[in-house]
Amino acid sequence: MSKLLITWWTWFIWSHAVVELLQAWHQVVILDNLSNSVQEVTEAIFTITWIHPLFEYADIRDIQQVETIFTKHVFDGVIHFAWLKSVKESCDKPFSYYENNILGTINLLRCLDTYNVRNIIFSSSATVYDASSEDAPFEEQMKTGNTTNPYGTTKFIIEQVLKDMAQWRQMNITCLRYFNPIWAHPSGLIWEDPHDVPTNLLPIMMEVLEGKREKLFVFWDDYNTMDWSCIRDFIHVVDVAQAHKIAWENLAKWFNIYNIWTGKGTSVLEMISLVEEVTWEVFPYEIVSRRDGDVSISIAKVARIKKAIGREAQLSITSAIKDALIFRANIYN
Ligand code: WQD
């Protein structure tokens, strides 16, 4: 059993990772920014695990506040989700992303170094791959950088800083690059922040099903794919969470990067068909022109993680769709 610091903010992958870690009898301390929706999640985590996770308030941009946590706890390591995560929002608020994600990470690393905590799992992103010079499927050693949005830039820069930490500060670091996580937890109790205005595909599709939106606008134009719509590597959020737990329990020395799963591509139009199969309803959509920054295909090569931990993603896209519907039914009933 380890004692881990979990850093997070707006993306609820952390809550799913906390559930997996608590259920494996690890102790977790969550660095919390007092966001108003955290109360709902802690109650959900308790309902699922019968354990109250421990929260410590700190604004990661303030190193004194972060350091206070290290004077109260002795950690075996940290799982760092690096905070803000919306591609679109990062284009509107780049400085907020640089302050929280990059400055926040530097503050965290200073404290880890000072208090001799040298094991890090970093929740990175497929957006670090240089899609302009490399074709999918993306492999870990392929070119990164030349990012198309501030969110991806922060993840790319953090990876570079962590590589230096491994070399010059003897830290053991594993970066997990995931592609398109889709929610929700099978309990129907945790998902993404329901107060958020969604920008990702599946949450928007859920809002169409709830009648909050008339239809889905499918951003296609003339992509060179089998049905001309974009292809993505969608992965159930519980598989993403379990990958973080397994990565911690198998933490390798020095610096390692793994794509997490699945290596299978699903097009936007195929996602619509899957939702129709689950709901037995025709799903309303309209084809419109491309969205800036979209790449046609983004899927992972997964040989490295399969070799390292000997398993693949366990859950299907259909199960994620069903879990998302259960969550939405719960919060609206
Ligand atoms: C998926 C596909 C859109 C909305 C992700 C996220 C994040 C990151 C990886 C980790 C695209 C299409 C969407 C809509 C649509 N992962 N779409 N109509 O763009 O792959 O970005 O990158 O950090 O998960 O930032 O995810 O869900 O926005 O879009 O047609 O209303 O759905 O064109 O092809 P994306 P997304």
Side-chain angles (χ1 to χ4, degrees):
M1 184 174 81
S2 311
K3 183 168 187 177
L4 295 168
L5 176 66
I6 310 291
T7 65
W8 70 285
W9 190 346
T10 57
W11 196 346
F12 277 32
I13 284 184
W14 68 272
S15 56
H16 297 74
V18 163
V19 165
E20 298 303 320
L21 290 163
L22 291 175
Q23 289 178 330
W25 303 111
H26 296 291
Q27 277 187 288
V28 300
V29 175
I30 298 158
L31 192 161
D32 170 30
N33 70 317
L34 281 190
S35 72
N36 57 8
S37 47
V38 74
Q39 188 55 37
E40 302 162 81
V41 187
T42 48
E43 287 160 11
I45 291 172
F46 176 72
T47 305
I48 298 167
T49 65
W50 290 91
I51 301 171
H52 282 294
L54 178 59
F55 283 84
E56 293 282 4
Y57 169 73
D59 182 331
I60 201 165
R61 296 165 298 182
D62 180 333
I63 193 165
Q64 276 75 33
Q65 292 184 24
V66 177
E67 184 162 13
T68 304
I69 297 176
F70 286 82
T71 62
K72 296 162 68 176
H73 301 277
V74 177
F75 295 113
D76 298 302
V78 64
I79 299 185
H80 186 37
F81 284 93
W83 302 75
L84 300 173
K85 60 89 187 173
S86 166
V87 167
K88 182 182 179 308
E89 184 187 55
S90 75
C91 300
D92 301 334
K93 304 174 184 172
F95 295 108
S96 183
Y97 274 69
Y98 299 143
E99 285 172 355
N100 281 282
N101 291 6
I102 296 175
L103 173 60
T105 298
I106 303 302
N107 288 342
L108 176 69
L109 290 171
R110 277 185 178 278
C111 294
L112 294 173
D113 191 40
T114 304
Y115 290 84
N116 197 29
V117 179
R118 299 202 178 275
N119 300 313
I120 302 172
I121 303 294
F122 174 54
S123 209
S124 189
S125 166
T127 49
V128 303
Y129 285 111
D130 180 356
S132 67
S133 68
E134 301 281 7
D135 290 330
F138 295 116
E139 202 161 10
E140 289 86 350
Q141 70 270 22
M142 280 185 175
K143 192 168 178 297
T144 57
N146 200 15
T147 46
T148 59
N149 57 79
Y151 163 70
T153 301
T154 65
K155 294 280 189 169
F156 170 68
I157 290 173
I158 293 170
E159 280 195 5
Q160 303 309 306
V161 169
L162 291 176
K163 196 166 184 180
D164 284 347
M165 290 297 103
Q167 179 151 8
W168 306 110
R169 304 305 297 170
Q170 293 74 47
M171 291 189 176
N172 303 303
I173 297 166
T174 296
C175 295
L176 301 178
R177 291 177 183 163
Y178 43 89
F179 287 63
N180 290 68
I182 49 177
W183 282 253
H185 191 268
S187 64
L189 296 173
I190 47 178
W191 189 37
E192 196 168 9
D193 185 347
H195 308 294
D196 257 355
V197 176
T199 57
N200 292 127
L201 180 65
L202 190 62
I204 289 173
M205 294 179 79
M206 289 297 119
E207 291 199 343
V208 172
L209 292 175
E210 289 146 15
K212 292 173 79 174
R213 294 174 188 241
E214 183 198 349
K215 58 186 146 181
L216 170 74
F217 293 110
V218 176
F219 305 130
W220 86 352
D221 200 6
D222 56 356
Y223 290 110
N224 183 23
T225 63
M226 58 197 172
D227 61 13
W228 300 287
S229 68
C230 293
I231 294 177
R232 290 293 182 270
D233 192 331
F234 295 103
I235 172 171
H236 196 299
V237 68
V238 171
D239 274 323
V240 175
Q242 288 185 353
H244 285 76
K245 177 186 78 78
I246 296 168
W248 168 254
E249 292 171 346
N250 298 274
L251 185 73
K253 295 290 179 201
W254 201 63
F255 183 78
N256 294 277
I257 294 176
Y258 298 103
N259 287 335
I260 38 172
W261 297 316
T262 67
K264 301 181 185 80
T266 304
S267 76
V268 176
L269 293 183
E270 283 176 319
M271 282 294 277
I272 290 172
S273 301
L274 288 171
V275 169
E276 290 179 333
E277 281 172 25
V278 170
T279 60
W280 291 46
E281 290 173 10
V282 175
F283 186 86
Y285 70 93
E286 178 186 337
I287 291 168
V288 296
S289 57
R290 288 186 182 205
R291 177 177 68 175
D292 289 345
D294 273 345
V295 294
S296 60
I297 302 175
S298 174
I299 53 180
K301 272 197 175 175
V302 295
R304 184 177 288 187
I305 190 163
K306 281 164 68 172
K307 182 167 182 275
I309 60 174
R311 59 158 273 188
E312 301 190 48
Q314 308 288 305
L315 300 169
S316 67
I317 294 174
T318 300
S319 67
I321 294 168
K322 288 175 180 172
D323 293 338
L325 288 168
I326 294 165
F327 174 85
R328 308 298 290 201
N330 277 351
I331 61 171
Y332 290 115
N333 287 339

